[in-house]
């Protein structure tokens, strides 16, 4: 038998050194990437360094600590020390991913053990979150085609606005959600249309929503950006992957509640449904006053952002962000409750749209055939006009944020209580002080966040069935006083207490001793005295600024009789205008 063999196919030999080079391909790719983006890396590094200085300088003292900040810090602490989502009953007011990230920062850096106060430790995490958000915002601007200069302008607007600087420093869930949100848009703008990028966009957006649920409102803008960027060849796969990852990740929150038996309404348990109903039907607060406070901090950025959104309607690449700005505008202008930190989510599209509108206008200012260096000149002139408009206000705002100490009264009250109040005393406190007093020398069971005395009947209510009468002191910051009308027990604590120490002038922090049997008529609290006499002489309750002014007069030596006479004179002038 004759056997024939198949013809031998010659095997191509690799050139010498190829095998070794193959193993280092990733280093070559990294070197190529660094070479390509070297200018942007230098630019963004310098910008982020400046942003870090502006944000960090004075962040412990400006703005004044806010009750919500203490809430999120205490919840992160509870997660670390107890494995529980809250020191009190967790009632699904917000998804927990935000303070899980905060707990991660505390655990990895030891921020709570470095001295200062707990809220300042949380503000360190806000600095990191803001730097990540700013870096991602630069990447997003570049992917949208902005020139490097205008990409940096977006970062300046996003950081140097007095409104942005104040809000970004505070320990808000919105600030922890922003890197996730901007990351979602960066990935949705993937220039190579990779399916993995669209899956990442869904994962990032879910992270934003699980950090702060209100970010779900801007999903239409992200969908619009995806629709603009997906390639026809893989669009069906991209959308299938995006929605699958988004829905499956988002379901983690309700599944957690379901496993605990707390998804649906129950007469004896908290539930997600009840929390959603509360948030959607929430009333109270003065949305007009909230907007005025935003505008008082900075009248420029949101107004310029609204104008730029109108321009962006004619610029296709900016339309998703104009849609985002429109969604925020509708929420802000609708009647009803408006959370103070809601503006955080609106600052990003405003900054991006202003920079993007100028970028587009500078490019369109000249015919293509005569471009030369003139677009750069137009951009510089536009930047100078913008700087002339907003520069003085913003420079003063940054200076105030760096040098003004708004937290002195709270720190002084905390020191006084630690030094002068007996260790076994029971205290009702603003949550911005809660963790610091617990860490000082007061048993946790004796220090109670004032809000929970009225609104946690299953927890605090059971532990203190006598309500405010079970407590020795109430530390009355502005938010405690403002809550008195809505929270009966806190109102009673203030009315049946006398001031033993006061700190600060404009928004004083009072340490008040509670008289468990009620305060005798001759020692009626200053607050109730002024309120009662306003109603008697002016036929209305005092405004907050009026009440603060009269309380200051009482505490600086003015007698009750003089206040009565002054109120009577005011009533007379009012009647004879």
């Amino acid at each position: 038998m004759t056997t024939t063999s198949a013809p031998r196919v010659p095997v191509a030999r690799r050139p010498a050194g190829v095998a070794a080079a193959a193993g280092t391909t990733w280093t070559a790719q990294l070197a190529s990437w660094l070479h390509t983006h070297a200018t942007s890396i230098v630019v963004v590094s310098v910008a982020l360094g400046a942003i870090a200085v502006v944000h960090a300088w004075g962040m412990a003292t400006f703005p004044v600590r806010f009750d919500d900040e203490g809430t999120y810090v205490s919840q992160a602490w509870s997660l670390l020390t107890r494995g529980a989502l809250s020191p009190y009953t967790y009632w699904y007011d917000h998804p927990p991913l935000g303070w899980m990230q905060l707990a991660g920062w505390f655990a990895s850096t030891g921020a709570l053990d470095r001295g200062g106060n707990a809220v300042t430790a949380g503000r360190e995490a806000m600095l990191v979150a803001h730097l990540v958000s700013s870096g991602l915002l630069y990447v997003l601007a570049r992917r949208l085609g902005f020139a490097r200069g205008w990409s940096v302008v977006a970062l300046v607007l996003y950081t140097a606005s007095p409104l942005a600087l104040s809000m970004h420093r505070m320990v808000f869930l919105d600030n922890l959600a922003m890197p996730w949100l901007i990351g979602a848009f960066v990935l949705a703008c993937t220039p190579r249309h990779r399916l993995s990028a669209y899956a990442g966009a869904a994962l990032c957006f879910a992270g934003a929503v699980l950090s702060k649920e209100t970010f779900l409102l801007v999903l239409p803008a992200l969908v619009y950006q995806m629709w603009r960027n997906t390639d026809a060849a893989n669009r069906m796969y991209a959308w299938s992957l995006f929605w699958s990852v988004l829905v499956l990740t988002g379901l983690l929150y309700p599944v957690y509640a379901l496993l605990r038996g707390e998804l649906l309404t129950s007469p004896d348990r908290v539930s997600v449904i009840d929390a959603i109903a509360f948030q959607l039907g929430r009333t109270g607060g003065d949305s007009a006053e909230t907007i005025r406070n935003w505008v008082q901090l900075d009248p420029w950025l949101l107004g310029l952002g609204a104008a730029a959104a109108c321009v962006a309607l004619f610029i296709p690449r900016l339309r998703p962000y104009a849609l985002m700005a429109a969604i925020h505008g509708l929420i802000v202008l609708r009647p009803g409750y408006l959370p103070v930190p809601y503006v955080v989510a609106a600052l990003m599209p405003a900054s991006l749209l202003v920079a993007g509108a100028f970028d587009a206008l500078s490019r369109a200012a000249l015919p293509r055939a005569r471009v030369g260096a003139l677009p750069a000149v137009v951009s510089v002139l536009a930047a100078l006009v913008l700087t002339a408009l907003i520069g003085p206000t913003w420079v003063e705002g940054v200076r105030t944020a760096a040098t003004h100490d708004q937290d002195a009264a709270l720190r002084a009250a905390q020191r006084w209580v630690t030094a002068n109040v007996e260790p076994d005393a029971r205290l009702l406190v603003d949550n911005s002080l809660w963790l610091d007093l617990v860490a000082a020398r007061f048993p946790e069971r004796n220090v109670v966040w004032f809000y929970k005395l009225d609104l946690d009947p299953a927890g605090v209510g059971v532990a203190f069935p006598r309500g405010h009468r079970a407590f020795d002191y109430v530390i009355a910051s502005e938010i405690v006083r403002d809550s008195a009308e809505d929270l009966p027990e806190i109102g009673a604590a203030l009315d049946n207490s006398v001031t033993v120490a006061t700190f600060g002038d404009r928004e004083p922090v009072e340490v008040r001793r509670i008289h468990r049997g009620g305060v005798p008529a001759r020692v009626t609290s200053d607050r109730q005295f002024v309120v009662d006499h306003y109603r008697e002489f002016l036929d209305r309750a005092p405004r907050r600024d009026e009440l603060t002014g009269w309380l200051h007069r009482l505490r600086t030596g003015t007698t009750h009789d003089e206040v009565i006479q002054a109120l009577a004179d005011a009533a007379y002038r009012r009647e004879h205008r």
Side-chain angles (χ1 to χ4, degrees):
M1 176 184 294
T2 305
T3 20
T4 57
S5 58
R8 187 175 179 180
V9 178
V11 178
R13 294 190 177 185
R14 294 182 181 180
V18 169
T24 59
T25 299
W26 68 271
T27 58
Q29 291 175 343
L30 177 61
S32 174
W33 185 88
L34 290 172
H35 181 268
T36 302
H37 299 282
T39 304
S40 284
I41 291 171
V42 172
V43 168
V44 79
S45 297
V46 172
L48 291 180
I51 287 168
V53 171
V54 170
H55 185 109
W57 192 359
M59 71 178 182
T61 55
F62 185 94
V64 64
R65 276 177 276 172
F66 188 58
D67 188 65
D68 282 4
E69 294 185 272
T71 299
Y72 305 133
V73 169
S74 66
Q75 287 172 320
W77 172 86
S78 176
L79 194 62
L80 286 176
T81 58
R82 295 178 171 182
L85 292 176
S86 172
Y88 300 99
T89 303
Y90 173 58
W91 60 283
Y92 298 94
D93 51 334
H94 299 296
L97 183 59
W99 60 90
M100 286 180 177
Q101 297 170 69
L102 202 55
W105 174 258
F106 292 158
S108 61
T109 66
L112 289 174
D113 303 322
R114 279 200 285 273
N117 58 65
V119 169
T120 298
R123 289 186 178 183
E124 292 180 10
M126 298 306 104
L127 170 59
V128 175
H130 182 62
L131 290 174
V132 174
S133 296
S134 298
L136 289 171
L137 185 61
Y138 180 87
V139 175
L140 178 59
R142 293 292 287 155
R143 287 196 169 183
L144 292 173
F146 291 19
R148 288 191 185 92
W150 289 112
S151 298
V152 172
V153 167
L155 302 192
V156 172
L157 296 170
Y158 189 57
T159 294
S161 160
L163 174 62
L165 185 56
S166 179
M167 290 294 167
H168 287 152
R169 284 180 170 184
M170 301 181 83
V171 187
F172 288 144
L173 299 179
D174 311 68
N175 288 324
L176 292 165
M178 282 310 301
W180 294 101
L181 180 72
I182 302 175
F185 279 90
V186 167
L187 291 170
C189 291
T190 170
R192 298 186 181 181
H193 312 289
R194 289 177 174 172
L195 293 178
S196 58
Y198 298 128
L203 193 62
C204 284
F205 188 76
V209 174
L210 291 176
S211 297
K212 187 63 181 287
E213 68 282 1
T214 53
F215 279 60
L216 183 62
L217 294 168
V218 300
L219 179 59
L222 181 61
V223 169
Y224 186 16
Q225 178 64 79
M226 285 264 304
W227 177 79
R228 281 187 46 80
N229 196 58
T230 49
D231 187 79
N234 66 355
R235 182 168 292 140
M236 182 180 67
Y237 301 104
W239 284 113
S240 299
L241 194 58
F242 175 82
W243 288 112
S244 298
V245 172
L246 180 61
V247 172
L248 290 174
T249 308
L251 283 176
L252 291 174
Y253 185 49
V255 167
Y256 168 80
L258 179 65
L259 293 174
R260 292 175 56 88
E262 295 173 343
L263 178 62
L264 303 176
T265 300
S266 172
D268 58 346
R269 306 193 75 173
V270 296
S271 74
V272 172
I273 298 301
D274 288 339
I276 292 173
F278 171 81
Q279 297 286 17
L280 293 177
R282 194 170 180 181
T283 58
D286 186 348
S287 59
E289 182 181 0
T290 299
I291 296 171
R292 279 196 301 271
N293 290 337
W294 294 344
V295 173
Q296 185 176 4
L297 281 169
D298 178 22
W300 289 106
L301 182 55
L302 295 179
L304 288 171
C310 297
V311 175
L313 295 175
F314 303 96
I315 308 170
R317 62 196 165 109
L318 294 181
R319 285 175 187 162
Y321 308 93
L323 174 59
M324 189 191 304
I327 291 170
H328 290 315
L330 290 174
I331 297 299
V332 166
L333 296 177
R334 88 192 199 292
Y337 175 73
L338 180 62
V340 171
Y342 185 81
V343 73
V344 170
L347 295 172
M348 184 275 279
S351 304
L352 192 68
L353 287 168
V354 171
F358 274 106
D359 176 80
L361 291 173
S362 67
R363 291 170 186 267
L366 299 165
R368 285 184 181 274
R370 300 179 182 178
V371 170
L374 288 178
V377 174
V378 173
S379 298
V380 169
L381 291 175
L384 290 174
V385 171
L386 190 63
T387 302
L389 285 173
I390 66 178
T393 302
W394 285 22
V395 169
E396 179 61 23
V398 170
R399 188 195 66 80
T400 298
T403 60
H404 192 57
D405 189 352
Q406 287 192 339
D407 199 60
L410 272 176
R411 292 199 309 276
Q414 179 182 323
R415 287 194 299 268
W416 191 93
V417 170
T418 302
N420 296 282
V421 172
E422 52 275 18
D424 60 345
R426 290 176 170 177
L427 311 174
L428 286 168
V429 302
D430 177 335
N431 221 13
S432 63
L433 294 170
W434 184 87
L435 188 54
D436 296 302
L437 293 175
V438 168
R441 62 188 184 94
F442 296 97
E444 183 185 335
R445 65 181 181 277
N446 288 349
V447 185
V448 173
W449 178 23
F450 79 95
Y451 191 77
K452 292 295 183 179
L453 186 60
D454 282 277
L455 298 178
D456 187 9
V460 175
V462 170
F464 300 99
R466 296 179 60 233
H468 75 279
R469 294 181 181 86
F471 291 85
D472 300 296
Y473 293 90
V474 55
I475 301 172
S477 59
E478 183 185 19
I479 192 169
V480 175
R481 292 189 292 269
D482 288 349
S483 303
E485 291 187 8
D486 299 323
L487 302 176
E489 285 292 341
I490 293 305
L494 293 175
D495 292 341
N496 293 296
S497 63
V498 292
T499 302
V500 295
T502 303
F503 306 93
D505 295 324
R506 186 169 176 271
E507 294 175 355
V509 180
E510 306 165 305
V511 181
R512 303 182 66 91
R513 178 181 285 277
I514 298 172
H515 289 253
R516 298 180 180 181
V519 178
R522 67 179 182 279
V523 205
T524 301
S525 71
D526 291 341
R527 171 187 170 278
Q528 193 58 50
F529 177 87
V530 173
V531 170
D532 288 345
H533 283 85
Y534 252 103
R535 286 175 177 155
E536 179 180 350
F537 287 106
L538 301 184
D539 194 28
R540 63 175 173 83
R543 297 192 305 271
R544 185 183 305 169
D545 59 334
E546 294 171 328
L547 178 56
T548 300
W550 288 118
L551 289 175
H552 177 68
R553 291 187 62 180
L554 286 168
R555 292 177 193 124
T556 53
T558 307
T559 67
H560 284 188
D561 290 341
E562 289 173 324
V563 172
I564 291 173
Q565 185 60 52
L567 290 170
D569 292 344
Y572 179 84
R573 289 193 299 270
R574 179 169 172 266
E575 292 172 0
H576 294 84
R577 283 176 182 170

